[in-house]
């Protein structure tokens, strides 16, 4: 087996770093940065809140993912052709969004923001599929790590960087610069290597929709895997939904929280992802997921301790460092696991489905947290987040069947279990 260092220094990792940057850049431009722009333009808070709905394409991307599995742009291969098209359209869409005036027509802003979010989600679909098709088993952890690094760097550029630029430049120029920054991913797409495995696309759109689902459902542990995807990150989701409110409630200032969580915390998350990627390769995915699952659950004990100590700056910093480091570990291992469960013929559809289930966890797991805090208080709430890790851990022996042995059906095996619509 190649060394972890050798894997990290390969050309394909540089490509994934740049494509991760391209994937992360549009998110804030239709989210936090857009909200700041609208607020500074005098928009009502109710209007700003409603515009949060432009993010729906990220949760619904599994709907049109089969189209990107079935059809290919006749340029640069099955995946890179779609990447090129979505990136060019994103550059145009982001530039046009910045040219709008919220004071004159918030409707045009909303429509263009929705278009950008749709194109961004589409880029994510095909990038996830390309990464899944490109990487060998021992490269998945490092591949996720460099993707996370690029993605987080892009979020800094399009969030904090854009807001700093807006102090000296009009918003139209800020968004134009962000559109130009998409060129990083565009160049990476042009020079990216093609996956070594050449696999034919589904023979019909119906097959592209039905067969990926049937493959999951017919597998002996298919339904357990889908349930595991929903449950695995529940401890992190629940604690994350209330952690900022909790830190404010015990007396920390917004500046303290922001500088540690968004500054130091972001850097530690990247370090955790890189370490997690390396451990996934060295230890294997099976043992890594066991370790990461236990650490994810145990890391919430820090917030439980803070709920008893109250405002304590050194303890708060330590808790956030541990939490973000473990979050990085989990991101690397869990995403590598999702990639290992995807068949290369349907990787766009299957990964989009699995990532949509993860989005469902954020919605359903975060929604009741305020009520739990209200009725139980902070100590019992954080104890509940620790207990919430149990279902995912209990499912591990079943969902890890075949992991590290490349148990995902190959093309010949898939044909035998297909619904037949592809024929």
């Amino acid at each position: 087996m190649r060394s972890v260092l050798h894997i990290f220094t390969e050309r394909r990792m540089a490509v994934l770093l740049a494509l991760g940057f391209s994937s992360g850049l549009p998110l804030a431009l239709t989210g936090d940065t857009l909200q700041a722009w609208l607020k500074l333009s005098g928009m009502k808070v109710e209007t700003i809140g409603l515009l949060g709905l432009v993010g729906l394409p990220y949760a619904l991307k599994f709907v049109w993912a089969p189209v990107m599995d079935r059809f290919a742009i006749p340029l640069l291969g099955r995946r890179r052709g779609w990447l090129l098209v979505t990136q060019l359209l994103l550059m145009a869409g982001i530039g046009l969004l910045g040219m709008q005036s919220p004071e004159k027509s918030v409707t045009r802003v909303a429509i263009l923001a929705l278009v950008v979010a749709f194109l961004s989600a589409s880029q994510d679909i095909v990038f996830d599929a390309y990464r899944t098709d490109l990487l060998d088993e021992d490269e998945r952890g490092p591949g996720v790590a460099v993707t996370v690094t690029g993605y987080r760097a892009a979020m800094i550029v399009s969030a904090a960087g854009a807001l700093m630029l807006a102090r000296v430049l009009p918003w139209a120029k800020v968004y134009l610069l962000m559109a130009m920054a998409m060129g990083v991913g565009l160049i990476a797409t042009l020079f990216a290597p093609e996956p070594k495995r050449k696999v034919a696309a589904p023979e019909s759109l119906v097959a592209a929709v039905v067969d990926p689902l049937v493959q999951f459902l017919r597998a002996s542990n298919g339904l357990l895997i889908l349930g595991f995807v929903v449950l695995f990150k529940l401890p992190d989701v629940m604690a994350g939904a209330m952690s900022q409110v909790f830190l404010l409630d015990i007396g920390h200032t917004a500046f303290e929280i922001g500088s540690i969580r968004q500054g130091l915390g972001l850097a530690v998350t990247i370090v955790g992802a890189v370490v997690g990627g390396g451990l996934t390769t060295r230890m294997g995915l099976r043992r890594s997921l066991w370790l990461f699952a236990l650490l994810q659950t145990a890391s919430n004990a820090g917030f439980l301790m803070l709920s008893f100590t109250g405002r304590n700056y050194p303890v708060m910093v330590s808790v956030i460092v541990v939490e973000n480091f473990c979050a990085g570990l989990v991101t690397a291992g869990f995403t590598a696991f999702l990639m290992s469960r995807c068949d290369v013929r349907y990787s766009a559809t299957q990964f989009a489905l699995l990532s949509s289930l993860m989005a469902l966890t954020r919605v359903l797991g975060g929604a009741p947290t305020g009520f739990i805090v209200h009725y139980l208080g902070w100590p019992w709430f954080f104890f509940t987040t620790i207990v919430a890790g149990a279902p995912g851990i209990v499912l591990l022996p079943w969902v890890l069947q075949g992991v590290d042995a490349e148990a995902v059906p190959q093309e010949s095996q898939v044909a035998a279990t297909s619904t037949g619509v592809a024929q």
Side-chain angles (χ1 to χ4, degrees):
M1 180 181 290
R2 293 168 295 168
S3 70
V4 175
L5 181 60
H6 181 266
I7 294 174
F8 270 114
T9 55
E10 286 190 349
R11 169 193 167 196
R12 62 181 64 192
M13 295 299 159
V15 168
L16 293 180
L17 180 68
L19 291 176
F21 181 90
S22 178
S23 178
L25 193 74
L27 183 62
L29 299 178
T30 56
D32 291 350
T33 301
L34 178 62
Q35 290 178 353
W37 178 17
L38 295 176
K39 178 63 177 177
L40 294 172
S41 299
M43 292 292 104
K44 294 181 179 179
V45 67
E46 297 91 337
T47 302
I48 296 174
L50 284 174
L51 281 175
L53 292 173
V54 302
L56 276 175
Y58 291 103
L60 299 175
K61 57 188 178 182
F62 66 92
V63 174
W64 66 95
V67 175
M68 307 181 95
D69 263 336
R70 170 64 183 90
F71 301 104
I73 304 297
L75 181 69
L76 297 180
R78 184 183 177 200
R79 305 301 187 189
R80 292 193 299 140
W82 278 114
L83 273 175
L84 182 68
V85 169
T86 55
Q87 288 164 347
L88 287 171
L89 291 175
L90 273 169
M91 293 178 77
I94 292 169
L96 285 172
L97 175 58
M99 294 170 61
Q100 306 309 306
S101 173
E103 299 92 336
K104 293 181 180 179
S105 179
V106 70
T107 301
R108 281 203 299 269
V109 171
I111 292 172
L112 280 168
L114 183 62
V115 169
V116 170
F118 172 80
L119 292 170
S120 177
S122 300
Q123 180 189 219
D124 289 350
I125 291 170
V126 70
F127 173 48
D128 289 333
Y130 171 75
R131 183 182 57 192
T132 300
D133 298 352
L134 180 71
L135 299 177
D136 294 329
E137 181 184 3
D138 62 343
E139 296 172 330
R140 288 172 184 153
V144 174
V146 297
T147 299
V148 169
T149 301
Y151 194 94
R152 297 284 184 172
M155 291 181 66
I156 295 174
V157 171
S158 60
L163 292 178
M164 287 189 288
L165 286 172
R167 298 179 64 182
V168 295
L169 294 174
W171 283 103
K173 290 187 176 180
V174 172
Y175 270 71
L176 179 60
L177 288 172
M178 295 298 111
M180 293 171 62
M182 284 294 301
V184 172
L186 193 66
I187 294 171
T189 296
L190 293 174
F191 291 96
E194 274 292 287
K196 290 178 289 187
R197 292 172 290 183
K198 301 296 182 182
V199 180
E203 296 182 11
S204 70
L205 185 56
V206 175
V209 173
V210 176
D211 285 358
L213 298 176
V214 170
Q215 183 177 305
F216 271 130
L217 296 177
R218 285 191 175 179
S220 60
N221 61 347
L223 287 176
L224 289 178
I225 289 176
L226 296 180
F228 173 74
V229 171
V230 174
L231 294 172
F232 182 68
K233 297 192 73 173
L234 192 57
D236 186 50
V237 167
M238 291 182 66
M242 282 286 117
S243 60
Q244 184 153 299
V245 176
F246 165 67
L247 293 174
L248 288 169
D249 196 47
I250 63 175
H252 289 287
T253 66
F255 177 78
E256 288 175 340
I257 298 169
S259 59
I260 298 302
R261 290 191 75 196
Q262 306 305 323
L264 179 61
L266 180 61
V268 172
T269 300
I270 293 174
V271 173
V274 172
V275 172
L279 288 175
T280 301
T281 298
R282 292 290 297 272
M283 297 173 57
L285 188 52
R286 177 187 296 273
R287 287 191 294 169
S288 297
L289 269 183
W290 273 106
L291 175 62
F292 300 164
L294 294 171
L295 289 176
Q296 173 189 231
T297 301
S299 67
N300 287 353
F303 286 109
L304 178 60
M305 179 175 64
L306 262 181
S307 69
F308 291 109
T309 64
R311 187 181 188 279
N312 188 313
Y313 187 77
V315 174
M316 184 268 284
V317 172
S318 301
V319 168
I320 290 178
V321 166
V322 171
E323 178 208 18
N324 281 271
F325 181 77
C326 291
L329 293 175
V330 170
T331 297
F334 190 49
T335 308
F337 169 77
L338 299 184
M339 292 165 63
S340 75
R341 298 302 88 194
C342 294
D343 182 271
V344 289
R345 292 205 304 170
Y346 314 115
S347 51
T349 301
Q350 289 183 332
F351 200 98
L353 173 64
L354 295 175
S355 59
S356 294
L357 288 175
M358 291 169 59
L360 182 66
T361 306
R362 289 194 295 271
V363 175
L364 299 182
T369 53
F371 294 98
I372 298 174
V373 171
H374 177 75
Y375 288 106
L376 299 182
W378 289 117
W380 280 107
F381 167 72
F382 286 115
F383 178 76
T384 302
T385 68
I386 296 173
V387 174
I393 294 173
V394 168
L395 287 175
L396 275 173
W398 287 273
V399 301
L400 290 178
Q401 291 176 11
V403 169
D404 293 333
E406 284 299 308
V408 178
Q410 300 303 312
E411 185 177 3
S412 60
Q413 295 171 295
V414 172
T417 58
S418 172
T419 60
V421 292
Q423 284 73 38

